[in-house]
């Protein structure tokens, strides 16, 4: 039986970006206090968290202090040092969720794909590459184009380079600048994702979302995904298989390809709340952030039921060079029924940097038509600017 008290439990979060900020916002109504560790003073989460420790994601003293002040540790960024988290957890007795071993599996995309393939999860053909000749051999094996991926550190399209021909192999590998792998290029009908959560002896999934990318960066998510029920069921089945491989409680963002033949292939996994799940704040009974707080602390999970068809769109820095973050022309957005603005509090706008997002819900604008919702979200997004 769960009992609330004041002060409530403390959740220590490695990372204080927008995910940490929204996690702290969702935790507060449950009486959960959040402390974040982030190298940027006054990071986005600092405004809503109980406290911020300033330190790098591999700062042993900082992570140790975080563990000593928290009941449970979690992370909002895969750059968290899994070995350090594991050692500090053992020495302080503060559990980490998801488990450091999951972060270790996720950290290296090649290790991740090998582990999932061993577990029977469907993945695109792939292979490790050490030099340009390996890339050329992969092109011979898989056919052109192929996708060259940095094994570690890539996000928002960084570290992912399409290679159109063998002549491009050397330049592509140089641009990745580190250990890499090659995947067969997937002929997909759409990109979809399942936000799944592992609780204390329970598992839940949110409705499948459809993701629209441009330049390898997520721009929009449409929920429910515009696909057949058979495909959506297959996506949920694959997500369930993925969770079997993951260790520890929490939310997992599971990115998938729906091929032109209606098959589901795994793209990547994020062991944390995910950009493609931001729609859940207004569009689901319980947001992915509240679910993550509940899960890692061992509380019962909330309902993942859809409130109404929902679209979210990212607000990216439409600037040519870094400048002070000022978002202009927001009146129409704020005045539109069913539209919800999320401003991340970043001090500097940079080209294509995620500065916020907008969610449009069907129950708010009075329509269940996802095309209309998407059109509305795009108009609202395109009307604002950082210029």
């Amino acid at each position: 039986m769960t009992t609330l008290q004041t002060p409530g439990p403390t959740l220590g979060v490695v990372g204080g970006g927008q995910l940490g900020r929204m996690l702290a916002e969702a935790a507060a109504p449950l009486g959960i206090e959040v402390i974040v560790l982030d190298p940027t003073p006054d990071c986005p989460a600092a405004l809503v968290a109980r406290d911020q420790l300033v330190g790098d994601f591999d700062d042993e003293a900082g992570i140790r202090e975080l563990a000593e002040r928290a009941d449970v540790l979690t992370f909002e960024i895969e750059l968290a040092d899994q070995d350090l988290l594991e050692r500090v957890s053992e020495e302080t007795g503060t559990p980490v969720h998801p488990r450091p071993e999951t972060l270790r599996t996720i950290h290296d995309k090649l290790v991740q794909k090998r582990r999932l393939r061993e577990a029977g999860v469907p993945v695109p053909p792939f292979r490790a590459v050490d030099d340009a000749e390996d890339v050329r051999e992969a092109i011979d094996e898989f056919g052109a184009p192929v996708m060259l991926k940095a094994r570690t550190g890539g996000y928002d399209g960084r570290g992912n380079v399409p290679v159109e021909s063998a002549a491009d192999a050397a330049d592509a590998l140089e641009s990745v600048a580190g250990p890499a792998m090659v995947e067969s290029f997937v002929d997909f009908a759409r990109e979809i994702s399942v936000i799944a959560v592992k609780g204390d002896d329970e598992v839940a999934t949110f409705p499948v979302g459809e993701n629209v990318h441009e330049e390898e960066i997520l721009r929009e998510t449409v929920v429910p995904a515009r696909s057949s029920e058979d495909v959506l069921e297959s996506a949920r089945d694959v997500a369930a298989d993925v969770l079997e491989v993951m260790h520890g409680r929490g939310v997992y963002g599971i990115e998938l390809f729906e091929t032109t033949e209606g098959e589901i292939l795994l793209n990547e996994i994020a062991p944390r709340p995910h950009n493609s799940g931001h729609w859940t704040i207004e569009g689901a009974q319980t947001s992915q952030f509240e679910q993550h707080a509940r899960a890692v602390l061992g509380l019962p999970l909330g309902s993942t039921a859809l409130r109404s068809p929902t679209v979210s769109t990212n607000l990216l820095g439409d600037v040519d060079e870094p400048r002070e973050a000022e978002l202009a022309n927001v009146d129409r957005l704020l005045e539109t029924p069913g539209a919800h603005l999320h401003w991340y509090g970043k001090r500097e706008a940079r080209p294509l940097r995620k500065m916020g997002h907008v969610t449009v819900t069907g129950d708010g604008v009075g329509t269940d038509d996802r095309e209309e919702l998407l059109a509305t979200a795009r108009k609202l997004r395109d009307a604002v600017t950082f210029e």
Side-chain angles (χ1 to χ4, degrees), residues 27-343:
L30 298 176
I32 299 168
E33 297 185 353
V34 171
I35 301 174
V36 300
L37 171 73
D38 195 276
T40 303
D42 295 323
C43 64
L47 181 65
V48 295
R50 171 67 181 269
D51 196 10
Q52 177 191 356
L53 306 179
V54 179
D56 291 332
F57 305 127
D58 59 355
D59 180 341
E60 181 166 358
I63 289 180
R64 188 173 298 278
E65 180 180 351
L66 189 67
E68 290 171 346
R69 294 178 61 181
D71 296 288
V72 177
L73 291 181
T74 190
F75 45 87
E76 59 117 57
I77 187 167
E78 284 89 329
L79 296 177
D81 188 315
Q82 59 267 22
D83 297 328
L84 178 57
L85 282 172
E86 187 171 62
R87 183 171 69 253
V88 168
S89 176
E90 291 173 352
E91 293 173 357
T92 62
T94 304
V96 180
H97 287 284
R99 301 285 190 194
E101 60 192 287
T102 286
L103 189 57
R104 192 174 292 115
T105 298
I106 296 294
H107 180 74
D108 185 322
K109 290 184 174 66
L110 180 63
V111 173
Q112 178 185 147
K113 286 292 169 66
R114 284 173 172 168
R115 178 70 186 88
L116 292 164
R117 184 174 62 183
E118 291 170 0
V121 175
V123 298
F126 66 91
R127 58 177 289 176
V129 293
D130 295 320
D131 52 36
E133 181 58 31
D134 285 343
V135 177
R136 288 188 282 268
E137 290 178 1
I139 291 174
D140 288 340
E141 180 180 355
F142 302 145
V146 297
M147 183 64 76
L148 180 69
K149 292 186 174 183
R151 288 173 54 179
T152 61
Y155 67 98
D156 282 352
R158 297 170 180 85
N160 291 351
V161 181
V163 186
E164 299 292 341
S165 69
D168 301 325
D171 289 342
L173 196 62
E174 183 177 352
S175 70
V176 169
M181 61 176 285
V182 162
E183 279 189 354
S184 172
F185 199 85
V186 177
D187 185 16
F188 60 85
R190 58 183 52 82
E191 295 176 90
I192 59 179
S193 61
V194 178
I195 305 300
V197 55
K198 293 186 75 169
D200 191 6
D201 296 324
E202 57 179 325
V203 171
T205 57
F206 287 90
V208 181
E210 176 182 347
N211 301 319
V212 179
H213 288 81
E214 184 180 330
E215 298 179 29
E216 303 294 326
I217 298 176
L218 179 63
R219 304 304 174 104
E220 300 142 355
T221 299
V222 179
V223 185
R226 295 169 293 183
S227 190
S228 70
E229 184 52 42
D230 287 345
V231 167
L232 301 184
E233 184 177 356
S234 295
R236 291 189 290 267
D237 289 343
V238 170
D241 291 341
V242 168
L243 289 186
E244 290 292 327
V245 181
M246 302 293 104
H247 298 278
R249 302 190 299 267
V251 163
Y252 294 82
I254 303 170
E255 296 181 277
L256 306 162
F257 295 118
E258 176 193 338
T259 71
T260 54
E261 297 179 349
E263 297 178 334
I264 297 296
L265 296 176
L266 178 82
N267 181 16
E268 293 178 3
I269 306 166
R272 52 165 173 77
H274 190 261
N275 192 172
S276 67
H278 290 353
W279 68 269
T280 61
I281 298 174
E282 285 85 23
Q285 294 288 342
T286 310
S287 77
Q288 65 166 344
F289 299 100
E290 181 178 336
Q291 291 282 42
H292 191 71
R294 288 177 181 234
V296 299
L297 286 164
L299 301 174
L301 301 182
S303 169
T304 57
L306 184 70
R307 292 182 185 272
S308 70
T310 302
V311 170
S312 66
T313 181
N314 284 324
L315 298 176
L316 305 179
D318 59 341
V319 295
D320 295 325
E321 57 186 28
R323 62 189 299 172
E324 183 179 355
E326 292 184 353
L327 186 64
N329 303 331
V330 299
D331 289 6
R332 180 181 177 187
L333 197 164
L334 295 174
E335 292 168 355
T336 299
H340 306 267
L341 171 64
H342 293 263
W343 176 250

